[in-house]
Amino acid sequence: MSTIDLATNTEAMMTINVLYFASLADEANCQEEAVSVEQSTSLTELYEQLSQKHRFSRPQAELRVAVNDYFAKWTDQIHDGDSVVFITPVAGG
């Protein structure tokens, strides 16, 4: 009897919790979702994938990103279980 190691499939994936606010929440039709992506996925790739899924109107260049409650660079790595927030510009008045 052979054993099939299913862990290799799950090791290549990670689950990221994504929070949406303002226009992104409206376009995604939710405020939060768990997303499974490959471990090598960058923040830029994550936003591109979600932008295609939800048809976001804002380009990445107009957004800031935060990981685990701290502002991040688009080049920062993300890890399994991280919380990611894409932040739209805020207008004062």
Side-chain angles (χ1 to χ4, degrees):
M1 181 158 76
S2 64
T3 303
I4 299 172
D5 185 9
L6 299 176
T8 56
N9 289 343
T10 57
E11 285 175 2
M13 300 297 287
M14 63 181 172
T15 302
I16 304 298
N17 189 44
V18 181
L19 302 170
Y20 301 109
F21 298 101
S23 61
L24 294 180
D26 293 339
E27 292 173 352
N29 202 27
C30 65
Q31 293 181 339
E32 181 176 357
E33 70 179 329
V35 180
S36 291
V37 294
E38 293 181 11
Q39 283 187 347
S40 61
T41 302
S42 69
L43 286 164
T44 299
E45 292 167 334
L46 177 64
Y47 184 74
E48 287 172 7
Q49 292 173 15
L50 294 170
S51 185
Q52 289 177 359
K53 176 182 176 183
H54 297 300
R55 303 186 192 288
F56 290 146
S57 59
R58 290 198 179 272
Q60 174 194 326
E62 292 182 6
L63 304 175
R64 299 269 325 257
V65 63
V67 178
N68 299 328
D69 300 325
Y70 292 96
F71 281 111
K73 297 176 188 168
W74 285 99
T75 55
D76 289 352
Q77 289 187 324
I78 49 177
H79 305 282
D80 189 43
D82 281 352
S83 290
V84 175
V85 181
F86 299 110
I87 303 164
T88 57
V90 178

